[in-house]
């Protein structure tokens, strides 16, 4: 069995799971799902990947003719930095609780490109991504990040949907 | 943490993983991936789901005006039955090797509808599906089954791509 042979090699080398995070509850749920569902061994690694968009490009969504001073840009960048750090620390803490080796990667760029590039470069074994993160406006304009990645990366992709509270109540 | 609370309930009840199979190598690889990657507990269940298309609708792809006698239909149905049974036995065997509780479901109908309906009905916790099964012609006409299901089911969906031999060699 080909998959079994590949598995034997990974058993020694350790597998790399990439979880794409974007400060949304959706992506934190995707991480929790991965920690609970995937069978992590000691040699395995979970990579917490955050694509950091430029605060200027985010501000551009406010409309054309919106001018930012350099102080405003620096201030926005610092605020973004603090938010990302707090979020990533929370994510690292969840991994620690489950005794899963984790590393964080904050990479500047568009989430779609960053995720596909990192997954490819690291020869990741699985990519976990929330179904509805990365901003509603961009999703309408460019399609969902999860769809984009599912079509482009070579490894298995898990698209995690956070169940609505109503659906969860109905189920139990 | 909401996901953790849901997990506590599943710990007692057992989780249901649905793996969609279609007699392709791609879907058998998806099953192997699930068995190696997902953390199955004793109370968990793996459901091997096969959507059985009518042999008549498959034959219709040969073109209009193609007439089948009732003997031919019966013969095709029997051959399909044998193939499915052999494939599902192989799949059950893989689960047994990994000591994972499995059940097989062969449901008549179109794969897209069958998979979504069964996942919904059983409140499955995760759906695993190969990225390129279920026939090339249908995929061109209707889009891939994995895309269809990823957009419709409420639970996390794993889209498993079987790596090409070349890609696997490059990696190791």
């Amino acid at each position: 069995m080909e998959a079994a042979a590949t598995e034997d090699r990974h058993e020694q080398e350790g597998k790399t799971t990439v979880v794409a995070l974007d400060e949304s509850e959706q992506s934190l749920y995707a991480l929790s799902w991965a920690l609970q569902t995937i069978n992590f061994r000691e040699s395995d690694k979970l990579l917490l990947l955050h694509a950091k968009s430029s605060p200027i490009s985010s501000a551009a969504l406010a409309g054309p003719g919106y001018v930012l001073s350099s102080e405003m840009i620096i201030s926005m960048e610092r605020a973004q930095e603090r938010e990302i750090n707090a979020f990533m620390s929370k994510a690292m803490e969840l991994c620690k609780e489950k005794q899963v080796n984790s590393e964080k990667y904050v990479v500047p760029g568009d989430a779609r490109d960053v995720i596909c590039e990192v997954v490819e470069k690291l020869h990741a074994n699985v990519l976990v991504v929330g179904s509805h993160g990365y901003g509603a406006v961009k999703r309408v304009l460019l399609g969902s990040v999860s769809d984009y990645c599912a079509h482009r990366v070579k490894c298995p992709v898990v698209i995690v949907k956070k169940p609505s509270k109503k659906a969860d109540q109905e189920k139990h």
Side-chain angles (χ1 to χ4, degrees), chain A:
Chain A
M1 188 83 214
E2 203 177 318
T6 310
E7 170 70 2
D8 288 343
R9 287 196 294 268
H10 289 151
E11 198 85 49
Q12 297 152 1
E13 292 170 21
K15 290 183 190 173
T16 302
T17 298
V18 173
V19 179
L21 298 170
D22 69 341
E23 297 159 71
S24 68
E25 261 216 56
Q26 186 74 242
S27 73
L28 210 55
Y29 183 85
L31 171 61
S32 297
W33 183 90
L35 289 168
Q36 286 155 11
T37 311
I38 294 176
N39 188 13
F40 288 100
R41 299 185 180 88
E42 261 188 61
S43 56
D44 295 341
K45 194 170 63 186
L46 194 156
L47 200 94
L48 303 165
L49 176 63
H50 192 298
K52 190 174 110 178
S53 62
S54 154
I56 302 169
S57 70
S58 305
L61 289 172
Y66 192 82
V67 183
L68 294 171
S69 69
S70 56
E71 286 82 6
M72 278 173 82
I73 293 170
I74 292 169
S75 162
M76 283 170 78
E77 275 176 347
R78 284 194 185 143
Q80 188 196 34
E81 202 77 22
R82 279 195 299 275
E83 267 178 44
I84 294 176
N85 283 342
F87 186 84
M88 294 303 266
S89 299
K90 200 171 165 184
M92 293 281 281
E93 197 53 45
L94 286 177
C95 297
K96 211 174 156 190
E97 278 171 21
K98 292 276 181 183
Q99 296 172 303
V100 172
N101 299 321
S102 66
E103 277 178 29
K104 55 179 177 178
Y105 266 41
V106 179
V107 183
D110 179 76
R112 287 163 183 75
D113 303 325
V114 165
I115 296 169
C116 294
E117 278 166 26
V118 170
V119 165
E120 194 75 11
K121 201 173 160 190
L122 298 180
H123 299 300
N125 300 93
V126 55
L127 165 66
V128 180
V129 62
S131 64
H132 284 101
Y134 303 98
V137 176
K138 267 198 163 178
R139 195 162 64 242
V140 172
L141 293 173
L142 304 172
S144 75
V145 171
S146 52
D147 274 358
Y148 184 93
C149 298
H151 285 140
R152 275 159 193 83
V153 304
K154 287 175 190 154
C155 68
V157 177
V158 191
I159 301 174
V160 182
K161 298 178 188 182
K162 188 173 187 295
S164 64
K165 282 182 184 166
K166 194 181 157 222
D168 205 44
Q169 279 161 4
E170 275 171 6
K171 193 171 165 179
H172 301 280

